[in-house]
Amino acid sequence: MSVGDYIRESQIWKSIFRHPAPHDRRNRVVVMLTNFFLHLHPVSVKKQGIALSYTWCMGGITFFLFLVETITGVLLMFYYRPTLEWAFNDIRSLRDVTTLGIMREIHRWGAHAMVITVWLHMYRVFLTGSYKPPREFNWVVGVLLLVLTLLLSFTGYLLPWDQLAIWAITVGSNMARATPFLGSEGPGFQLLNVGGFDLITSASDARFLLLGARDVGESTLNRFYILHCVAIPLVVAGLIAIHFWRVRKDGGISQPL
Amino acid sequence: MHSHPDLTSSVIQGLGAFYLVLFLMNAIYTYFSFKKGGHSKFLERLTGQEIPAAAMWALYSAFLLMIAVAHLTSTSSPNAFLFKLPEWVKYYVDVIVADPVSFSVLSVVLFALMILLREWWVKPVVAWILLNVSVIALGLSMTDWDFRQIVGKPDNVPIVAMLFIVGFFTWLYFRRAIENDKRIDEGRDVFEKEDNEKILVWPDLVYTELMCMVILTVILVAWGILLHAPLEEPGSAVKTPNPSKAPWYFLGLQEMLVYYDPWLAGVVFPSVILVGLMAIPYIDFNKGGNGYYSFKERWFAISTFLFGFLPLWVAMIILGTFLRGPNWNMFGPFEYWDVHKLEVLYNVNLSEYFWLYSPEWTPWVGAMPVAPPDASLPQQARIIFLREAPGFIAVIVYLAVLPPLMAMTLFRTYFLRMGFLRFMVFSNLLLMMLALPIKMVLRWAFNLKYIIAIPEWFINV
Ligand code: HEM
């Protein structure tokens, strides 16, 4: 008996994998139904629906990149401290001394790649007309995922706390100052005024809400850290679940009628 | 002006590897061309002989190999190295590209050609030649110091890759769509319907996914090893870099700031883009083209979307990333980012055009109304509205009068099928999308600054 067979025959292995590697039709059906991860998929699909030249696998790749970002991100969280004192130094030591500091590289390139693949996924969904009934709502969920993907990337951009980071966030968040009614330099903010006092000032406007201060500073770092590592990923994970569920409920990947 | 070396021996070595990859790609292509057989019609007309296409590709690949070897084994001084972009080419490219007008005209013309010549450029040979031309152009451009500074920034590498990837998928789309358009014309089934039996997810899909994951992991790890993530100096609130740029995927929005104030470019338009995207399934009433690639059945929807994605989004990111330098001035790809480059901008508001430059034949216009310093708020408001009346009228006409006109003329069938509400949403979204190119043209042609200018209340349009 080979080592492989020995392992596959053991009680431990069998308790984990309820089924041997499937080689016939019946078992290939059963494996899809009895494996937690595989049961995300249907048992059988139309051939063209999963052809690479049709879906470009872009949704799947985006999801995979999301998982890569989650795993590398958690590993980075063991090292990184989101304070003015440590943020930059922690990133620098990830680059210079830390074993497996390459996690930062993978995390950053994975983030760029995810932005690109989510665009391409949308591109393919549009070009195949897959947003048409009955898939309208899943497209809307998709647009939300697109925004959140960009926001994930944006909030993460600040964390290295180098010149690139703080000025990109400064430029990006300056826009919030111009929010109509809610920005201290936006049209109509004077209307929110009680007894001669402006409710909207640079210490209470939309930008302040985002940054936690008048300028990009320590409270911004804290806010972006929480948004980046906890709040947005949770929402994205929830929306992805809905997205996948809807793909199945809407009749699988789109097909010519 | 600056004394940085265009070529160093490490750049030459790097380019050697680059051309070696291109050689390998073409060697593979030659092999497939050989298996397929056939000869080039173009060469036959030229020489009167049937020259196998594969022979030409073999010749070309051999040439690339020679170039690669010449780079890899070069011992001459980098200054004397032969393969580099001639200065006059750089000069003309800079002149054409470093100007928002010609850049935008170029991107729109390319877009139009892409759609009009789609049957020509989707042919694999043509696409392959176009790919080779752009790869070689990239390689040659790398022999320029300034070009390397900006394209070689670690954060910008993905954008260069994205260009090729978007190009590839656009090609793939058109190829599939044209094939299906032909089939539909001939009354046959579309490609996706043919040979479409049910198959089991295990093994077909599961293995595809596994392979995707393995390949992607390899790519990410290799990318991480080869290219360091950027880390600049520690952040400092007092040292403002020039230029300060938003993250690259927002540079299209930052570019809009040149033409519109932050409340529009940074808040209103992004929101409209998102709402507009979400509205697409509800305003596109066309039942055709659902679940397969096609162009003819949905040419308007596709062209509009491609216009929004390619010239208005991707091209603006290119512009913002590679061509915007200090003081947000525009620089050519081979131009030194000189902080002192001066661009005199003298922009004029619509109200100033109207009140200050009104010609003799409109004597009724009179002088520009100005509120006295001690005016009460209602008084002030009246004068401001009067002053900006031309702009208000223009905007109202654009957003409220144009849609009904569209409904009665060009978009009559759309209006009838969509109903009032949907048509209004559709036409307003379309007009908002065109607001950017329109303002650009107005700026370039008339130096128009604001259509409505009320700096008193931060309302500038
Ligand atoms: C985090 C982002 C996203 C993930 C992980 C994701 C994932 C997926 C996956 C795995 C599929 C199955 C088919 C395929 O791979 O193409 C899918 C389908 C779909 N996605 Fe997404 N997606 C995301 C964002 C988006 C966006 C931005 C849109 C559109 C604006 C979108 C709209 C759709 C639609 C309409 C379908 C059904 C397509 C069909 O049936 O052919 N998704 N998505």
Side-chain angles (χ1 to χ4, degrees):
Chain A
M1 197 173 8
S2 74
V3 183
D5 285 340
Y6 179 77
I7 293 175
R8 275 191 292 272
E9 292 298 318
S10 70
Q11 187 184 0
I12 296 180
W13 179 275
K14 280 183 165 171
S15 73
I16 300 174
F17 299 101
R18 297 204 162 276
H19 256 269
H23 291 297
D24 55 30
R25 194 186 151 80
R26 199 192 95 85
N27 278 313
R28 285 175 171 174
V29 171
V30 171
V31 71
M32 296 306 296
L33 297 172
T34 56
N35 181 299
F36 173 78
F37 296 102
L38 293 178
H39 98 281
L40 277 176
H41 285 309
V43 169
S44 65
V45 285
K46 284 289 190 68
K47 186 169 167 187
Q48 293 297 335
I50 59 161
L52 268 184
S53 62
Y54 182 72
T55 64
W56 310 348
C57 199
M58 275 306 157
I61 291 177
T62 311
F63 180 54
F64 174 69
L65 287 171
F66 179 70
L67 296 180
V68 169
E69 292 301 284
T70 309
I71 294 166
T72 53
V74 168
L75 290 176
L76 288 172
M77 282 173 79
F78 285 117
Y79 261 93
Y80 171 85
R81 286 159 285 182
T83 61
L84 292 195
E85 194 185 349
W86 288 111
F88 178 81
N89 287 325
D90 284 346
I91 298 287
R92 189 165 45 190
S93 63
L94 277 169
R95 183 188 68 187
D96 294 340
V97 293
T98 312
T99 317
L100 287 187
I102 194 183
M103 287 303 145
R104 170 173 183 237
E105 265 73 32
I106 297 181
H107 195 74
R108 192 178 186 98
W109 302 141
H112 285 336
M114 187 171 164
V115 169
I116 295 173
T117 57
V118 80
W119 287 346
L120 288 173
H121 173 53
M122 177 171 83
Y123 201 40
R124 140 10 229 169
V125 170
F126 187 91
L127 294 174
T128 53
S130 303
Y131 57 86
K132 300 188 179 200
R135 298 184 180 81
E136 306 102 307
F137 184 66
N138 216 13
W139 169 272
V140 176
V141 175
V143 176
L144 293 177
L145 280 169
L146 171 80
V147 184
L148 290 171
T149 305
L150 293 179
L151 287 181
L152 264 180
S153 192
F154 183 68
T155 47
Y157 217 84
L158 180 66
L159 303 185
W161 204 257
D162 60 346
Q163 280 288 75
L164 199 61
I166 68 164
W167 289 99
I169 303 308
T170 304
V171 171
S173 61
N174 274 345
M175 302 299 111
R177 198 152 45 196
T179 315
F181 303 112
L182 300 180
S184 61
E185 289 175 15
F189 81 91
Q190 297 102 326
L191 297 177
L192 298 180
N193 170 305
V194 175
F197 283 99
D198 283 333
L199 291 181
I200 302 295
T201 65
S202 63
S204 65
D205 67 346
R207 183 164 182 271
F208 192 93
L209 177 74
L210 188 67
L211 300 186
R214 280 210 179 85
D215 292 301
V216 175
E218 177 131 48
S219 40
T220 316
L221 186 56
N222 191 46
R223 264 175 210 207
F224 275 45
Y225 179 71
I226 306 279
L227 283 171
H228 184 75
C229 300
V230 185
I232 304 180
L234 281 179
V235 179
V236 169
L239 282 175
I240 287 182
I242 299 179
H243 197 60
F244 288 1
W245 185 75
R246 285 296 297 230
V247 171
R248 300 268 313 256
K249 294 295 156 186
D250 292 341
I253 291 174
S254 57
Q255 293 286 302
L257 296 173
Chain B
M1 188 158 40
H2 58 100
S3 57
H4 295 287
D6 274 340
L7 277 178
T8 62
S9 38
S10 66
V11 170
I12 295 178
Q13 294 291 319
L15 281 172
F18 181 87
Y19 288 120
L20 203 60
V21 173
L22 190 63
F23 155 73
L24 287 176
M25 283 163 50
N26 276 290
I28 295 170
Y29 188 88
T30 308
Y31 172 75
F32 283 111
S33 172
F34 176 71
K35 296 258 311 221
K36 192 164 141 259
H39 60 273
S40 152
K41 300 231 172 55
F42 176 71
L43 286 175
E44 187 180 351
R45 229 173 296 142
L46 218 63
T47 60
Q49 290 189 339
E50 289 194 5
I51 301 175
M56 298 316 297
W57 287 110
L59 213 60
Y60 170 65
S61 309
F63 177 69
L64 284 176
L65 182 61
M66 268 157 48
I67 302 244
V69 172
H71 278 77
L72 288 172
T73 59
S74 156
T75 49
S76 67
S77 112
N79 291 329
F81 197 68
L82 223 51
F83 296 101
K84 58 180 165 194
L85 204 57
E87 291 297 324
W88 61 270
V89 175
K90 294 186 195 174
Y91 174 79
Y92 285 109
V93 170
D94 279 348
V95 168
I96 293 172
V97 173
D99 175 49
V101 183
S102 48
F103 179 88
S104 308
V105 170
L106 197 69
S107 75
V108 171
V109 167
L110 281 178
F111 174 77
L113 288 179
M114 176 189 89
I115 294 205
L116 292 175
L117 300 182
R118 57 184 187 275
E119 306 217 349
W120 173 71
W121 75 274
V122 295
K123 290 186 200 155
V125 189
V126 180
W128 188 253
I129 292 175
L130 289 179
L131 175 69
N132 268 283
V133 169
S134 42
V135 171
I136 290 178
L138 178 65
L140 281 176
S141 302
M142 288 306 249
T143 61
D144 180 81
W145 186 83
D146 293 301
F147 188 86
R148 279 204 307 280
Q149 291 316 296
I150 181 74
V151 170
K153 267 203 184 128
D155 266 348
N156 292 349
V157 171
I159 311 178
V160 178
M162 176 183 77
L163 276 187
F164 285 95
I165 297 172
V166 167
F168 169 75
F169 282 115
T170 308
W171 174 80
L172 185 63
Y173 157 68
F174 273 111
R175 187 160 176 77
R176 294 281 298 254
I178 287 167
E179 156 88 18
N180 276 347
D181 286 350
K182 276 204 199 100
R183 285 167 176 251
I184 294 168
D185 282 347
E186 293 164 7
R188 290 191 289 146
D189 273 349
V190 293
F191 177 80
E192 285 83 354
K193 201 158 179 174
E194 211 168 71
D195 181 26
N196 194 16
E197 74 277 20
K198 279 224 162 194
I199 52 173
L200 289 179
V201 167
W202 185 297
D204 292 274
L205 179 55
V206 177
Y207 278 119
T208 310
E209 287 173 346
L210 183 71
M211 289 318 290
C212 270
M213 290 200 275
V214 171
I215 293 171
L216 270 166
T217 310
V218 171
I219 291 179
L220 280 175
V221 172
W223 189 359
I225 292 173
L226 291 176
L227 201 65
H228 272 295
L231 188 65
E232 298 188 350
E233 316 220 312
S236 149
V238 286
K239 270 194 283 174
T240 315
N242 185 8
S244 293
K245 291 189 180 184
W248 63 272
Y249 35 83
F250 286 150
L251 285 185
L253 301 176
Q254 200 174 353
E255 184 60 23
M256 268 205 286
L257 283 173
V258 176
Y259 303 95
Y260 285 103
D261 267 18
W263 75 279
L264 281 172
V267 184
V268 174
F269 284 149
S271 316
V272 171
I273 295 175
L274 293 178
V275 172
L277 280 175
M278 291 193 212
I280 286 177
Y282 305 98
I283 53 186
D284 185 356
F285 56 84
N286 183 354
K287 296 259 186 306
N290 182 351
Y292 53 92
Y293 289 101
S294 70
F295 181 77
K296 274 193 193 157
E297 288 189 338
R298 354 175 2 224
W299 66 270
F300 181 74
I302 297 264
S303 310
T304 312
F305 189 83
L306 288 181
F307 185 74
F309 187 60
L310 298 174
L312 286 188
W313 189 251
V314 175
M316 286 297 148
I317 288 176
I318 301 303
L319 196 164
T321 311
F322 297 124
L323 306 176
R324 286 291 183 188
N327 309 323
W328 215 249
N329 279 329
M330 229 169 139
F331 292 83
F334 309 115
E335 196 176 340
Y336 178 66
W337 277 18
D338 183 359
V339 197
H340 305 293
K341 178 170 178 171
L342 221 57
E343 258 173 44
V344 186
L345 289 177
Y346 182 64
N347 294 328
V348 182
N349 294 329
L350 182 62
S351 49
E352 290 167 339
Y353 268 121
F354 186 80
W355 298 104
L356 301 182
Y357 302 113
S358 88
E360 299 156 14
W361 40 270
T362 52
W364 41 271
V365 165
M368 187 173 204
V370 182
D374 54 345
S376 69
L377 194 63
Q379 246 178 341
Q380 218 187 352
R382 226 191 43 240
I383 288 177
I384 287 177
F385 279 117
L386 181 64
R387 183 187 77 202
E388 297 303 325
F392 277 110
I393 293 174
V395 172
I396 290 171
V397 166
Y398 187 67
L399 290 181
V401 180
L402 224 47
L405 279 180
M406 286 160 66
M408 287 188 296
T409 54
L410 271 181
F411 290 92
R412 222 183 125 69
T413 42
Y414 281 59
F415 179 68
L416 293 177
R417 294 189 55 182
M418 284 174 150
F420 179 77
L421 193 66
R422 276 205 282 171
F423 185 80
M424 285 303 144
V425 174
F426 157 73
S427 51
N428 268 285
L429 287 173
L430 195 65
L431 290 169
M432 293 261 200
M433 176 168 155
L434 293 177
L436 178 65
I438 288 177
K439 184 85 184 268
M440 287 175 153
V441 171
L442 290 176
R443 173 70 55 85
W444 303 331
F446 307 109
N447 286 327
L448 184 74
K449 189 168 179 199
Y450 293 126
I451 297 166
I452 298 176
I454 314 182
E456 297 91 333
W457 300 336
F458 300 105
I459 307 182
N460 299 310
V461 177

